[in-house]
Amino acid sequence: MSSLSYERNPAEIYRKSFETIRQEVDLSRFGKGLDQLVIRLIHSCGMVDIADDVFFSKDAFTSGRNALENGAKVFCDVEMVRKGIIPRMLPSENEVVCLVNDPDVPNIAQKKNTTRSAAQVDLWKDQLKGSIVSIGNAPTALFRLLELLDEGCEKPALIIGMPVGFVGAVESKAELAANPRGVPFVTVAGRRGGSAMAAATVNALAGGLNNNG
């Protein structure tokens, strides 16, 4: 039986991957902790140039990490983000929540003429204080979150704004970066983003590069 030659050891695969990223990307503009976050972002998508499009508040990593350590909930816009977050890496057995399939959501979406991902944000409203919000798919969810903050909603500890796509993605992330409403944030400008990147950001906050998964 023939055997192809390739790296099989998981730890070595991660080590070589992160080493390659460090060799190919200038991480000097990112502070301690945030550099690990950017490495995981790159690792999740395979595009080293994504680092040029990462925008953030200086306190983003610290605020997000502290929130997780203090037991913060993580709200996700879609199940793909929720599934991508690695439970064993979370420091306080944090609850990871996605309500897109809640039975009340279709009615809210129909009434407001919006997406289910955006409609569920209204169900987060009373629990947002001190939480982490990770949006990787729906620009409408990010827009709705910003609207709620404008309406005086309690502030999360961190917004991870990484919706992907051609309609609303660029605009929603630009709005977040221009006016984060006093909330620490991390975003990726432009059309790129996605569930894997949003989940990888939470994983980086949870365990940096110390835990592989």
Side-chain angles (χ1 to χ4, degrees):
M1 184 176 179
S2 64
S3 178
L4 298 175
S5 177
Y6 58 94
E7 182 60 66
R8 292 172 170 81
N9 184 281
E12 188 63 8
I13 291 170
Y14 276 101
R15 187 193 69 78
K16 287 182 177 180
S17 296
F18 297 152
E19 180 181 298
T20 299
I21 293 168
R22 287 191 179 97
Q23 290 173 349
E24 295 187 10
V25 181
D26 181 5
L27 298 167
S28 59
R29 76 180 179 95
F30 305 105
K32 185 178 180 181
L34 200 63
D35 59 342
Q36 298 182 35
L37 189 155
V38 173
I39 288 172
R40 274 204 174 271
L41 272 180
I42 294 169
H43 185 254
S44 73
C45 67
M47 296 177 284
V48 294
D49 64 313
I50 204 79
D52 296 333
D53 291 333
V54 176
F55 290 83
F56 56 93
S57 57
K58 290 183 179 179
D59 55 346
F61 186 87
T62 301
S63 183
R65 177 65 190 176
N66 289 344
L68 287 179
E69 289 179 342
N70 290 328
K73 290 184 179 181
V74 182
F75 290 98
C76 308
D77 65 322
V78 292
E79 286 290 340
M80 287 181 67
V81 176
R82 186 178 71 83
K83 292 290 188 180
I85 295 170
I86 304 170
R88 64 177 170 78
M89 294 177 66
L90 296 170
S92 302
E93 298 184 353
N94 308 75
E95 184 179 357
V96 183
V97 179
C98 177
L99 299 178
V100 73
N101 292 316
D102 185 281
D104 291 334
V105 165
N107 289 333
I108 297 172
Q110 185 176 28
K111 182 178 179 180
K112 297 194 173 185
N113 191 29
T114 191
T115 67
R116 288 192 300 142
S117 293
Q120 70 166 323
V121 178
D122 286 82
L123 301 181
W124 301 348
K125 184 165 55 175
D126 294 333
Q127 305 176 69
L128 281 173
K129 185 177 182 180
S131 69
I132 291 175
V133 177
S134 186
I135 296 174
N137 182 267
T140 52
L142 181 53
F143 274 129
R144 183 58 187 146
L145 176 62
L146 297 176
E147 287 175 342
L148 287 178
L149 291 172
D150 286 338
E151 293 167 10
C153 181
E154 295 277 15
K155 295 178 180 179
L158 178 69
I159 298 172
I160 299 166
M162 300 185 182
V164 62
F166 298 91
V167 179
V170 174
E171 294 83 359
S172 63
K173 291 182 285 187
E175 177 64 25
L176 172 64
N179 181 10
R181 279 73 173 170
V183 180
F185 75 95
V186 181
T187 191
V188 174
R191 293 173 172 175
R192 294 186 293 183
S195 299
M197 294 175 66
T201 302
V202 177
N203 292 335
L205 292 169
L209 304 180
N210 298 320
N211 294 304
N212 297 329

